[in-house]
Amino acid sequence: MLFNKLGRKIPTEKCRVFANAERNFYKINDPLIDLEKQNKKAVNLKLLSKSVNLKNIELEQNNLYNSIKNDSNYKNLILGTSIPFAISHQDLPIDIGSQLEDRFLPLIKKVYENAVEGSWFKATLQGQNTLKESIRIVEASGYKNFVKSAISGCVVGCYFPTAFQEYDVKSQRNQINILPKNENFNICLSGHIETSYSLIMYPNLLYSRKYYSPILCLSALEHEDPRMIPIIKSYGPHLEFWLLSQMMTNSQTQVSEQWSGGITLYRNI
């Protein structure tokens, strides 16, 4: 068994995790999924091409879910939070930092502040760091193919934001490379596109009156300063994007029960 009853990857010997990835103090506010409504919203916000057949997209989403459910290696992922998506974004700039700064972060801000009364969304970059021309995709994360597919065509997938909850970032990146393949879907470490999509579709994802929320690490991305990592977190009723240091000391990186990395399973259609 690769995933536990919380839908998290069971750590291997060399992983750095908090409490063996089995605590559930920090929880995501699981959304009530309505595929038809969600896909129409994605078209209206230009995250999904208006030329696609939405009935076919919904069928592909359901087929992918069943493929995951029927795979003994991955079926426990569904025990955690899962967010289906369909994305085709042909006009994205090539630069990852520009994608964040010019497209996704402004759209998250607009949707979030309209959805949650009295709230704000802000982006904070520690030090003198920047996003544009400073962010790249981690090699061997599988995310380059995902981004290429989303720009060149359409991807239908499922985002599991808590699959690597309690893992440090290095362990998340190492673990994605030992996962078994499946001929019915592709596998990658989660990054900015599907995380942003999920927060745009479901603005209350990280806002709960009952629980503290995990911090979503965009672990498929790395900054030119390797100490820095992009994350999204809640702050009461507010939402924040941070480019912050993952260093606890000069030589030791952060490991916390609040930090969470995601796994994305997807198909090109």
Side-chain angles (χ1 to χ4, degrees), residues 37-52 54 86 197 201:
K37 182 178 179 180
Q38 178 181 314
N39 289 330
K40 288 180 179 178
K41 182 178 179 180
V43 171
N44 290 337
L45 293 174
K46 299 182 179 180
L47 296 172
L48 182 61
S49 172
K50 61 183 179 180
S51 66
V52 301
L54 293 185
Y197 173 99
M201 292 299 113

mmCIF file of all heavy atoms in Angstrom, residues 37-52 54 86 197 201:
data_model
loop_
_atom_site.group_PDB
_atom_site.id
_atom_site.type_symbol
_atom_site.label_atom_id
_atom_site.label_comp_id
_atom_site.label_asym_id
_atom_site.label_seq_id
_atom_site.Cartn_x
_atom_site.Cartn_y
_atom_site.Cartn_z
ATOM 1 N N LYS A 37 -21.116 22.608 -13.436
ATOM 2 C CA LYS A 37 -20.987 24.014 -13.038
ATOM 3 C C LYS A 37 -19.526 24.455 -13.055
ATOM 4 O O LYS A 37 -19.191 25.548 -13.517
ATOM 5 C CB LYS A 37 -21.579 24.190 -11.644
ATOM 6 C CG LYS A 37 -21.552 25.610 -11.132
ATOM 7 C CD LYS A 37 -22.205 25.682 -9.757
ATOM 8 C CE LYS A 37 -22.180 27.108 -9.197
ATOM 9 N NZ LYS A 37 -22.821 27.176 -7.858
ATOM 10 N N GLN A 38 -18.645 23.588 -12.583
ATOM 11 C CA GLN A 38 -17.215 23.906 -12.522
ATOM 12 C C GLN A 38 -16.633 24.129 -13.908
ATOM 13 O O GLN A 38 -15.891 25.092 -14.136
ATOM 14 C CB GLN A 38 -16.488 22.770 -11.808
ATOM 15 C CG GLN A 38 -14.985 22.932 -11.716
ATOM 16 C CD GLN A 38 -14.334 21.754 -11.023
ATOM 17 O OE1 GLN A 38 -14.804 21.302 -9.979
ATOM 18 N NE2 GLN A 38 -13.263 21.241 -11.601
ATOM 19 N N ASN A 39 -16.946 23.251 -14.846
ATOM 20 C CA ASN A 39 -16.396 23.370 -16.196
ATOM 21 C C ASN A 39 -16.913 24.619 -16.915
ATOM 22 O O ASN A 39 -16.172 25.271 -17.657
ATOM 23 C CB ASN A 39 -16.710 22.113 -17.003
ATOM 24 C CG ASN A 39 -15.918 20.907 -16.526
ATOM 25 O OD1 ASN A 39 -14.809 21.034 -16.022
ATOM 26 N ND2 ASN A 39 -16.490 19.722 -16.670
ATOM 27 N N LYS A 40 -18.164 24.966 -16.680
ATOM 28 C CA LYS A 40 -18.706 26.196 -17.275
ATOM 29 C C LYS A 40 -18.005 27.427 -16.701
ATOM 30 O O LYS A 40 -17.711 28.380 -17.430
ATOM 31 C CB LYS A 40 -20.212 26.271 -17.031
ATOM 32 C CG LYS A 40 -21.025 25.288 -17.864
ATOM 33 C CD LYS A 40 -22.513 25.416 -17.577
ATOM 34 C CE LYS A 40 -23.308 24.438 -18.431
ATOM 35 N NZ LYS A 40 -24.772 24.515 -18.132
ATOM 36 N N LYS A 41 -17.746 27.395 -15.412
ATOM 37 C CA LYS A 41 -17.027 28.504 -14.768
ATOM 38 C C LYS A 41 -15.619 28.623 -15.337
ATOM 39 O O LYS A 41 -15.127 29.732 -15.591
ATOM 40 C CB LYS A 41 -16.978 28.285 -13.255
ATOM 41 C CG LYS A 41 -16.291 29.399 -12.483
ATOM 42 C CD LYS A 41 -16.326 29.133 -10.980
ATOM 43 C CE LYS A 41 -15.617 30.230 -10.193
ATOM 44 N NZ LYS A 41 -15.650 29.980 -8.728
ATOM 45 N N ALA A 42 -14.956 27.471 -15.558
ATOM 46 C CA ALA A 42 -13.601 27.482 -16.111
ATOM 47 C C ALA A 42 -13.585 28.093 -17.515
ATOM 48 O O ALA A 42 -12.656 28.827 -17.867
ATOM 49 C CB ALA A 42 -13.039 26.066 -16.147
ATOM 50 N N VAL A 43 -14.610 27.797 -18.325
ATOM 51 C CA VAL A 43 -14.712 28.395 -19.667
ATOM 52 C C VAL A 43 -14.891 29.903 -19.550
ATOM 53 O O VAL A 43 -14.222 30.683 -20.240
ATOM 54 C CB VAL A 43 -15.872 27.760 -20.468
ATOM 55 C CG1 VAL A 43 -16.109 28.533 -21.769
ATOM 56 C CG2 VAL A 43 -15.572 26.301 -20.780
ATOM 57 N N ASN A 44 -15.779 30.339 -18.664
ATOM 58 C CA ASN A 44 -16.046 31.774 -18.500
ATOM 59 C C ASN A 44 -14.807 32.532 -18.049
ATOM 60 O O ASN A 44 -14.627 33.702 -18.415
ATOM 61 C CB ASN A 44 -17.179 31.976 -17.495
ATOM 62 C CG ASN A 44 -18.524 31.534 -18.028
ATOM 63 O OD1 ASN A 44 -18.729 31.476 -19.236
ATOM 64 N ND2 ASN A 44 -19.455 31.210 -17.139
ATOM 65 N N LEU A 45 -13.947 31.877 -17.273
ATOM 66 C CA LEU A 45 -12.730 32.531 -16.771
ATOM 67 C C LEU A 45 -11.517 32.275 -17.666
ATOM 68 O O LEU A 45 -10.391 32.608 -17.310
ATOM 69 C CB LEU A 45 -12.441 32.050 -15.347
ATOM 70 C CG LEU A 45 -13.469 32.483 -14.291
ATOM 71 C CD1 LEU A 45 -13.178 31.839 -12.945
ATOM 72 C CD2 LEU A 45 -13.503 33.998 -14.151
ATOM 73 N N LYS A 46 -11.751 31.653 -18.806
ATOM 74 C CA LYS A 46 -10.720 31.393 -19.822
ATOM 75 C C LYS A 46 -9.629 30.452 -19.337
ATOM 76 O O LYS A 46 -8.478 30.533 -19.767
ATOM 77 C CB LYS A 46 -10.123 32.712 -20.324
ATOM 78 C CG LYS A 46 -11.149 33.621 -20.978
ATOM 79 C CD LYS A 46 -10.523 34.904 -21.508
ATOM 80 C CE LYS A 46 -11.575 35.786 -22.167
ATOM 81 N NZ LYS A 46 -10.998 37.049 -22.690
ATOM 82 N N LEU A 47 -9.995 29.540 -18.429
ATOM 83 C CA LEU A 47 -9.092 28.476 -18.012
ATOM 84 C C LEU A 47 -9.304 27.221 -18.841
ATOM 85 O O LEU A 47 -8.471 26.311 -18.821
ATOM 86 C CB LEU A 47 -9.319 28.149 -16.529
ATOM 87 C CG LEU A 47 -9.000 29.274 -15.540
ATOM 88 C CD1 LEU A 47 -9.459 28.885 -14.139
ATOM 89 C CD2 LEU A 47 -7.515 29.600 -15.548
ATOM 90 N N LEU A 48 -10.410 27.196 -19.552
ATOM 91 C CA LEU A 48 -10.766 26.063 -20.399
ATOM 92 C C LEU A 48 -11.314 26.633 -21.700
ATOM 93 O O LEU A 48 -12.171 27.529 -21.677
ATOM 94 C CB LEU A 48 -11.817 25.186 -19.705
ATOM 95 C CG LEU A 48 -12.287 23.923 -20.410
ATOM 96 C CD1 LEU A 48 -11.131 22.958 -20.644
ATOM 97 C CD2 LEU A 48 -13.381 23.236 -19.589
ATOM 98 N N SER A 49 -10.824 26.126 -22.816
ATOM 99 C CA SER A 49 -11.221 26.645 -24.119
ATOM 100 C C SER A 49 -12.718 26.477 -24.358
ATOM 101 O O SER A 49 -13.285 25.420 -24.056
ATOM 102 C CB SER A 49 -10.433 25.935 -25.223
ATOM 103 O OG SER A 49 -10.928 26.297 -26.501
ATOM 104 N N LYS A 50 -13.345 27.497 -24.902
ATOM 105 C CA LYS A 50 -14.775 27.412 -25.194
ATOM 106 C C LYS A 50 -15.069 26.488 -26.365
ATOM 107 O O LYS A 50 -16.230 26.162 -26.623
ATOM 108 C CB LYS A 50 -15.343 28.804 -25.480
ATOM 109 C CG LYS A 50 -14.743 29.510 -26.674
ATOM 110 C CD LYS A 50 -15.339 30.900 -26.818
ATOM 111 C CE LYS A 50 -14.731 31.655 -28.009
ATOM 112 N NZ LYS A 50 -15.308 33.011 -28.137
ATOM 113 N N SER A 51 -14.020 26.027 -27.049
ATOM 114 C CA SER A 51 -14.221 25.118 -28.184
ATOM 115 C C SER A 51 -14.378 23.667 -27.752
ATOM 116 O O SER A 51 -14.762 22.814 -28.551
ATOM 117 C CB SER A 51 -13.044 25.227 -29.155
ATOM 118 O OG SER A 51 -11.850 24.750 -28.564
ATOM 119 N N VAL A 52 -14.098 23.344 -26.481
ATOM 120 C CA VAL A 52 -14.188 21.959 -26.033
ATOM 121 C C VAL A 52 -15.648 21.567 -25.822
ATOM 122 O O VAL A 52 -16.507 22.415 -25.555
ATOM 123 C CB VAL A 52 -13.398 21.718 -24.723
ATOM 124 C CG1 VAL A 52 -11.950 22.069 -24.898
ATOM 125 C CG2 VAL A 52 -14.004 22.490 -23.563
ATOM 126 N N LEU A 54 -18.134 20.132 -23.444
ATOM 127 C CA LEU A 54 -18.163 19.984 -21.989
ATOM 128 C C LEU A 54 -18.700 18.626 -21.551
ATOM 129 O O LEU A 54 -18.298 18.106 -20.503
ATOM 130 C CB LEU A 54 -18.977 21.110 -21.358
ATOM 131 C CG LEU A 54 -18.380 22.518 -21.479
ATOM 132 C CD1 LEU A 54 -19.219 23.523 -20.711
ATOM 133 C CD2 LEU A 54 -16.937 22.547 -20.987
ATOM 134 N N ALA A 86 -10.231 20.418 -15.582
ATOM 135 C CA ALA A 86 -9.977 20.358 -17.025
ATOM 136 C C ALA A 86 -9.439 21.731 -17.412
ATOM 137 O O ALA A 86 -10.073 22.754 -17.136
ATOM 138 C CB ALA A 86 -11.246 20.031 -17.796
ATOM 139 N N TYR A 197 -6.058 26.919 -10.177
ATOM 140 C CA TYR A 197 -7.380 26.535 -10.690
ATOM 141 C C TYR A 197 -8.307 26.147 -9.549
ATOM 142 O O TYR A 197 -9.464 26.586 -9.489
ATOM 143 C CB TYR A 197 -7.215 25.368 -11.665
ATOM 144 C CG TYR A 197 -8.508 24.752 -12.158
ATOM 145 C CD1 TYR A 197 -9.043 25.103 -13.399
ATOM 146 C CD2 TYR A 197 -9.194 23.811 -11.391
ATOM 147 C CE1 TYR A 197 -10.225 24.529 -13.848
ATOM 148 C CE2 TYR A 197 -10.372 23.247 -11.834
ATOM 149 C CZ TYR A 197 -10.885 23.609 -13.057
ATOM 150 O OH TYR A 197 -12.072 23.043 -13.503
ATOM 151 N N MET A 201 -11.785 27.956 -8.606
ATOM 152 C CA MET A 201 -13.065 27.253 -8.665
ATOM 153 C C MET A 201 -13.734 27.204 -7.296
ATOM 154 O O MET A 201 -14.951 27.347 -7.178
ATOM 155 C CB MET A 201 -12.854 25.821 -9.173
ATOM 156 C CG MET A 201 -12.435 25.696 -10.620
ATOM 157 S SD MET A 201 -13.655 26.371 -11.768
ATOM 158 C CE MET A 201 -12.715 27.771 -12.396
#
